[in-house]
């Protein structure tokens, strides 16, 4: 929340002198951009439309650049780094956001007791998730999964020495699908702020961050129903916050009536299956994104153990029966849609 300290007078007054008119009370909504394999939408409140439009164009270019820099399978800086790991070489990482992702990933790997492990790119690829389309056909052979799990790639294997990055384990293949969109919305909100915007939402397919308000009111965010149809609930936001939902409905493999999630348990290489949707609200988008992945892996029995050291307060889980689990702080933020009346269970306070 540190970054939110720009005062109204400081931002508003110079703008008045330049334009000679009142700030707009219009909501500007961008066209959908296709980045990170998902639709990205930006909403901006309180500035004239040309300013909002120009800001969105700048942010869109930056997001496209990040997408290219972090892509897990299209040739670029990350695939080059993975190639170096596979051949036991060290590589200089010049893209600052990529280096930052590697650093953050190491930190979050430890914080989540290894449940968030973006070093398992080979497993993610084996399950068929290194393509834009949904994978089809039977799941990979158990022996092939076991082989990759036994190679035990972790973020501890990754060594950062200045700009030089290497891996002690050639089986490490980085895949930032579980943090990239959260980090991207952090960067996008920062960039909008630098462009003089104080009230906005950046939404990358359910990975979103807000700042400010919509006029007098806090931004209200809809949480998609885990079935993929309609809205389950709305949550109110408070200043600069990220609201991130990971659901099994977005990306999965379907075979003979079985649904295989794209979130994998690094301990056995199998899809995490006990929760259909996890929503986390936190200041940092990167942290919230990691948390949704790690809590999905932890599942219903173990999520609290992981959430506590992460400092999470606002968590909502939906299990396969549609039962909703809320942390007490989240319960104060959530309002279920009038056509939804799920069984709700309150957790211990976090
Ligand atoms: P979404 O992409 O729908 O927002 P997530 O944030 O949960 O979903 O990220 C899922 C992605 O993270 C997968 O597609 C894969 O690229 C990667 N991933 C899967 N399992 C793990 C894991 N245990 N740790 C880190 N990253 C993972
Ligand atoms: Mg996530």
């Amino acid at each position: 929340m540190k970054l939110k300290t720009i005062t109204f007078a400081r931002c508003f007054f110079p703008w008045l002198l330049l334009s000679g008119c009142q700030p707009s009370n219009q909501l500007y909504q961008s066209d959908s951009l296709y980045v990170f394999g998902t639709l990205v939408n930006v909403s901006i409140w309180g500035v004239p439309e040309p300013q909002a439009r120009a800001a969105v164009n700048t942010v869109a270019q930056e997001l496209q650049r990040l997408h290219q820099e972090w892509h897990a399978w299209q040739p670029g800086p990350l695939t080059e780094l993975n190639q170096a790991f596979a051949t036991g070489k060290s590589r200089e990482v010049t893209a600052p956001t990529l280096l930052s992702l590697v650093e953050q990933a190491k930190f979050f790997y430890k914080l989540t007791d290894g449940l968030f492990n973006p070093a398992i790119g080979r497993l993610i690829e084996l399950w068929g998730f290194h393509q834009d389309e949904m994978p089809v056909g039977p799941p990979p052979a158990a022996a092939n999964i076991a082989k990759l799990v036994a190679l035990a790639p972790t973020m501890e294997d990754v060594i950062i020495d200045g700009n030089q990055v290497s891996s002690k384990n050639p089986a490490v293949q980085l895949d930032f699908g579980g943090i990239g969109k959260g980090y991207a919305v952090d960067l996008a909100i920062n960039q909008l702020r630098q462009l003089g915007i104080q009230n906005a939402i950046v939404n990358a397919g359910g990975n979103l961050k807000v700042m400010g308000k919509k006029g007098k009111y806090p931004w209200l965010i809809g949480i998609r129903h885990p079935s993929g149809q309609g809205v389950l609930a709305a949550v109110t936001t408070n200043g600069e916050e990220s609201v991130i939902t990971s659901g099994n409905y977005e990306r999965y493999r379907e075979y003979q009536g079985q649904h295989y999630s794209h979130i994998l348990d690094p301990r056995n290489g199998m899809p995490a299956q006990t929760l259909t949707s996890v929503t986390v609200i936190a200041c940092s988008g990167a942290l919230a994104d990691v948390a949704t992945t790690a809590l999905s892996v932890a599942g219903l029995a173990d999520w609290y153990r992981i959430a506590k050291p992460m400092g999470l307060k606002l968590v909502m889980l939906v299990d396969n029966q549609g039962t909703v689990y809320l942390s007490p702080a989240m319960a104060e933020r959530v309002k279920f849609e009038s056509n939804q009346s799920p069984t709700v269970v309150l957790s211990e306070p976090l």
Side-chain angles (χ1 to χ4, degrees):
M1 294 290 199
K2 276 198 308 253
L3 296 166
K4 208 188 59 147
T5 48
I6 306 165
T7 62
F8 179 74
R10 250 174 44 222
C11 285
F12 174 69
F13 190 58
W15 180 84
L16 254 189
L17 290 179
L18 286 175
S19 70
C21 59
Q22 291 294 318
S24 162
N25 280 335
Q26 294 297 308
L27 179 66
Y28 174 78
Q29 284 181 297
S30 72
D31 294 335
S32 295
L33 322 159
Y34 188 73
V35 207
F36 299 110
T38 193
L39 295 178
V40 178
N41 293 285
V42 183
S43 307
I44 292 176
W45 177 271
V47 299
E49 186 178 328
Q51 186 185 354
R53 191 182 294 280
V56 170
N57 284 341
T58 307
V59 167
Q61 277 173 27
E62 178 66 1
L63 291 176
Q64 291 293 359
R65 204 182 58 76
L66 298 176
H67 174 59
Q68 195 265 333
E69 231 165 74
W70 307 342
H71 209 290
W73 65 90
Q74 281 171 13
L78 182 56
T79 58
E80 284 162 14
L81 182 61
N82 282 332
Q83 188 59 35
F85 290 167
T87 51
K89 296 196 184 103
S90 137
R91 190 171 173 93
E92 187 183 9
V93 174
T94 48
T97 61
L98 181 56
L99 194 60
S100 165
L101 267 182
V102 179
E103 279 165 354
Q104 293 183 61
K106 281 178 72 70
F107 173 76
F108 286 129
Y109 172 82
K110 264 210 154 116
L111 193 62
T112 61
D113 199 20
L115 299 191
F116 172 77
N117 182 4
I120 60 166
R122 285 195 187 177
L123 267 170
I124 296 165
E125 187 175 7
L126 180 69
W127 273 94
F129 293 113
H130 278 182
Q131 56 180 28
D132 288 328
E133 306 76 34
M134 221 79 106
V136 289
N144 293 342
I145 297 171
K147 219 185 280 172
L148 291 186
V149 172
L151 295 173
T154 79
M155 289 311 297
E156 310 263 90
D157 296 322
V158 177
I159 312 291
I160 304 174
D161 181 8
N163 284 344
Q164 290 291 330
V165 183
S166 59
S167 170
K168 291 189 281 183
N169 181 348
V172 167
Q173 184 182 317
L174 300 178
D175 174 316
F176 291 129
I179 182 171
K181 280 176 273 181
Y183 184 39
V185 296
D186 283 337
L187 295 174
I189 283 288
N190 282 347
Q191 193 173 32
L192 286 175
R193 188 186 297 101
Q194 281 161 15
L195 294 166
I197 312 288
Q198 295 177 62
N199 307 289
I201 305 180
V202 180
N203 183 2
N207 300 261
L208 67 83
K209 188 160 193 180
V210 310
M211 66 170 160
K213 290 180 168 188
K214 185 183 172 191
K216 281 192 223 142
Y217 305 101
W219 293 107
L220 201 59
I221 305 299
I223 308 293
R224 265 173 81 183
H225 196 281
S227 68
Q229 305 289 315
V231 177
L232 172 66
V235 296
T236 46
T237 54
N238 182 10
E240 185 175 325
E241 273 184 342
S242 191
V243 183
I244 300 216
T245 300
S246 232
N248 268 349
Y249 48 83
E250 282 273 4
R251 268 170 83 67
Y252 54 86
R253 173 190 283 270
E254 186 106 54
Y255 185 67
Q256 294 185 338
Q258 264 290 110
H259 194 94
Y260 301 95
S261 165
H262 66 140
I263 299 176
L264 301 179
D265 186 333
R267 297 167 294 191
N268 58 17
M270 295 303 288
Q273 306 280 38
T274 64
L275 298 170
T276 51
S277 156
V278 175
T279 300
V280 168
I281 305 181
C283 294
S284 154
L287 177 109
D289 198 3
V290 165
T292 60
T293 309
L295 298 190
S296 296
V297 175
L300 204 50
D302 202 25
W303 71 271
Y304 192 89
R305 178 180 70 90
I306 302 298
K308 196 82 180 160
M310 291 193 86
L312 303 179
K313 296 284 175 221
L314 298 151
V315 175
M316 172 162 90
L317 315 167
V318 185
D319 74 7
N320 292 334
Q321 278 69 51
T323 301
V324 177
Y325 300 80
L326 296 173
S327 64
M330 185 67 121
E332 286 174 21
R333 298 278 199 104
V334 171
K335 200 164 180 294
F336 290 98
E337 291 295 288
S338 53
N339 60 347
Q340 304 284 343
S341 48
T343 305
V344 176
V345 178
L346 264 196
S347 80
E348 293 290 307
L350 275 164

